Each structure stands twice: as C-alpha cells, then as structure tokens.
Amino acid sequence: MAYNLTGIPNMNRRNFLHLSALTAPALATQNSFASKLAPTKPIVLSTWDSGMAVNAEAWKVLVKGGRSIDAVEAGARQIEDMQNCCVGLGGYPDRDGIVTLDACIMDHNANCGAVAGLERIKHPISVARKVMDTTPHVLLVGNGAQQFALQNGFPKEPDQLSDDAKKAYADWLKTSEYKPQINIENQPKGGPFAPAFFPDGSPNHDTMGLFAMDAAGNISGGVTTSGMAFKLHGRVGDSAVIGAGLFVDNAVGAATSSGVGEEVIRICGTHLVVEFMRQGLSPEMACKKAVERIVKRDRVKAKTLQVGFLAMNKKGEYGAYAVQKGFVFSVKSANENKIHPSKFLL
Ligand code: GLY
C-alpha cells in the first residue's frame, strides 16, 4: 500500500510536523489527510472528542515504555471517573432507572475479558481486565459480574443517578418511548437520545472505545459504556462483545465501534473491519465496508441511527467511517494530538 507522508503536495515531513505542532490540538479538516500521517508508535486512538483526555491518560503509560494493555485500561478508567458522561456510573439509566455498564478488553495475545450489565461498580474496564487475567472465562454478566467485582475488592458505589441522568430519565418517563439515535446531525441537543453531557457544548457521545500500540509494537484495546439510554433492563450492547465493539489481532490491527450496538453485533462489526484489513484494505476503507454492510441491510432504518467504526493497522495507519455525519475520533502519538472528523456514508 502506498501512503505518502502528508497527503499535501510540496509539503515535506519537516514542514508538516511544524504545522502540526502549531495547530495541535485541533480539529483536522480532512480525514484522508489524517490517515496519511507518517505511521508511528507508540500511538493511542479513542472514539469521540472526549478521547483526548482518555488518550492523555493512556499516553502516560505508553511514553514510559509501558504495555498497550495497561495504557488502554488507564485511558478507559479516566472517562469512567467522570460524573457527567455517558460512560460509567454518571451515564443514563435503563428503562427501570438503573445504570448498567458494559466493558471489554483485549490484548495482543487474544486474551480478553468482558462484563455486561454491571451495576454500582465504578471501573467496569478493570473488572473486565480481572476477568481476563484471573479467570478461564471471557464474559461475566449481571449479578455474577458484580459478585466477582466485589470479591476482587472493587467497592460497591451508592445506588444513585447523576443529576443529568436523573433529569433525562424524568423527561423520558413522560413518553417512555425507546428510539435510539446517536449523534445524528441536526438532532437537537438535550433530547432523550441526544444527551449533551458536556457543559462546554461539545457534541454528545455514547461509547468510549480505544486501542493503543506500544513501543514494542503490541496492540491492545478496550471499550466502556453505560450503553444505550433507556434500554430494556438486561440489554447488552456491542461494547461487551468481543468481535462486535472491539477486536484486536496483533498481526493485523484493531478496531472499535460506537453507536447503536445491535447494528454492530449483527455484522460482528469490528471483527469484520479487522478481517477487511487482513485482506489488504486501509483502515478507513475497512471501516467503510463495514458501514456499507449495515446500511445495505436496511437503508431506511440506517437513516435513523448512527454507528461509527475506528480502526488502525499494524503500521499505525488509522481511519474511521460512520453511517452519518457526527462521529469524531482522537489520536495521540509523538506526531500529533488531535480530534479528527470521520467520513460518513449517508
Ligand atoms: N455502543 C454502545 C451500545 O450500543 O450500548
């Protein structure tokens, strides 16, 4: 595959790095430009603009020569610690008013762990890591996941909603209608399915998916979320499902997803993206083909929902694609520290 260094005619690498340093962190204007940056490692990528803070935390591990698995856990914990966010215990509840968390983690040896429907535990990503590191299993759910967490020293948090979640839930109860729509342009902020969680007015988000390649070239990934707002109690999304919300193959690359998890599960989304990269597609094209598969299945329905894929190959080249406008991702390496808009199909 031929990638030039900058994607800009007559711009050499030195000038480009100078420009990059002047403008970072900044929103890149063209994703094609982003995907042509010089490959580098270590590197960490996360979904959404909130990924900037997540990447910063992961970077502290990577820059010291740490392992990618430790970096992704540290990054995911950062956003789980936030209270006004759709990830972690500050997130929106299910239709019964209960916050249930999904998370998964996967390392360069295809070791993986996951939890689903986890209640009152602050760091589902670390519980998923514990499942991976200390049990013969991959996925623990509901009460069993919580029991495992408590037995392993994770404290039980108070049974309460964040102020934002409380308000949104009260609003939602007026209609009790479940219509998952995420980050579709022109959707009013603050509606029940477009929560504006951030006081600075930054776009709404759902899942935090991230992956990192460390200095040794090993790739790991993680995902954490409170899932779709006002879901049925017991519903599990793509974020707890290896091959749906996250997949890592250290010989090929990694992919993660955000958006309506059911659509991602139906096509084994991130596994599909990694397989497309194995066949030689660039990360961006691999994501695009997965998005096309979702849209082709039901184009009318696809117009009402959002799914975004983010991928990186073994060379550290990356790209993203979404069903609709609105998906962005964050990248941190020695070369850049930026938010990039994803291309989109519809
Ligand atoms: N992508 C998050 C979810 O569907 O729960």
Side-chain angles (χ1 to χ4, degrees):
M1 249 174 298
Y3 286 85
N4 67 34
L5 283 178
T6 67
I8 303 175
N10 302 324
M11 180 167 276
N12 63 32
R13 177 179 160 80
R14 194 168 156 196
N15 287 343
F16 169 71
L17 290 178
H18 179 62
L19 176 68
S20 184
L22 287 176
T23 55
L27 192 68
T29 50
Q30 294 175 31
N31 188 48
S32 55
F33 173 81
S35 66
K36 290 171 184 171
L37 283 165
T40 183
K41 65 183 180 201
I43 184 170
V44 54
L45 291 91
S46 304
T47 53
W48 304 114
D49 51 353
S50 49
M52 291 292 282
V54 167
N55 289 352
E57 214 51 42
W59 186 252
K60 289 180 192 166
V61 177
L62 294 172
V63 82
K64 283 189 280 195
R67 295 186 304 156
S68 55
I69 190 70
D70 297 324
V72 297
E73 184 183 358
R77 284 176 68 96
Q78 186 279 335
I79 197 157
E80 288 172 348
D81 269 331
M82 290 177 66
Q83 280 308 297
N84 279 330
C85 181
C86 42
V87 172
L89 290 174
Y92 281 14
D94 63 23
R95 60 177 302 142
D96 293 351
I98 303 165
V99 177
T100 64
L101 306 176
D102 296 343
C104 71
I105 195 162
M106 187 167 191
D107 77 5
H108 66 286
N109 280 323
N111 296 310
C112 43
V115 287
L118 181 62
E119 293 176 32
R120 297 177 61 180
I121 301 291
K122 196 175 196 177
H123 289 299
I125 194 74
S126 295
V127 185
R129 173 92 189 256
K130 204 68 164 176
V131 172
M132 176 180 101
D133 285 345
T134 68
T135 80
H137 308 306
V138 167
L139 173 61
L140 296 182
V141 304
N143 289 343
Q146 192 193 58
Q147 188 184 2
F148 173 80
L150 297 176
Q151 282 166 354
N152 281 280
F154 292 86
K156 196 171 189 176
E157 304 294 335
D159 184 13
Q160 64 187 36
L161 298 181
S162 66
D163 290 345
D164 279 342
K166 226 179 275 175
K167 185 179 175 313
Y169 184 55
D171 286 347
W172 178 78
L173 283 174
K174 291 174 193 159
T175 59
S176 302
E177 200 187 352
Y178 182 68
K179 269 190 196 163
Q181 295 179 345
I182 305 175
N183 257 14
I184 295 170
E185 251 228 327
N186 300 326
Q187 188 181 11
K189 276 186 184 173
F193 304 106
F197 285 95
F198 294 94
D200 65 1
S202 56
N204 55 71
H205 329 71
D206 74 331
T207 308
M208 173 49 59
L210 71 158
F211 44 73
M213 180 157 55
D214 58 31
N218 289 324
I219 304 172
S220 303
V223 186
T224 183
T225 189
S226 52
M228 302 295 291
F230 319 124
K231 60 195 175 185
L232 281 176
H233 186 65
R235 177 265 189 189
V236 175
D238 57 328
S239 306
V241 180
I242 296 293
L246 173 73
F247 196 69
V248 176
D249 183 325
N250 204 46
V252 178
T256 189
S257 61
S258 189
V260 179
E262 283 77 3
E263 299 305 312
V264 179
I265 292 172
R266 279 188 183 101
I267 64 161
C268 298
T270 55
H271 183 262
L272 186 64
V273 170
V274 170
E275 290 308 303
F276 283 142
M277 290 196 291
R278 193 192 308 280
Q279 290 165 15
L281 292 189
S282 70
E284 184 180 291
M285 283 308 295
C287 292
K288 184 179 183 197
K289 281 193 65 120
V291 166
E292 282 171 351
R293 196 165 289 191
I294 290 171
V295 172
K296 196 172 166 197
R297 199 180 71 79
D298 189 339
R299 196 176 178 86
V300 175
K301 187 176 175 194
K303 284 183 182 163
T304 70
L305 59 85
Q306 176 68 304
V307 169
F309 290 107
L310 171 64
M312 176 186 72
N313 65 18
K314 189 67 183 172
K315 294 186 218 164
E317 297 161 340
Y318 58 80
Y321 227 90
V323 174
Q324 313 210 30
K325 190 171 179 178
F327 183 47
V328 300
F329 61 97
S330 303
V331 184
K332 171 74 185 149
S333 70
N335 286 354
E336 62 169 333
N337 187 26
K338 282 184 187 163
I339 302 162
H340 295 280
S342 166
K343 287 186 179 173
F344 52 95
L345 201 61
L346 297 181

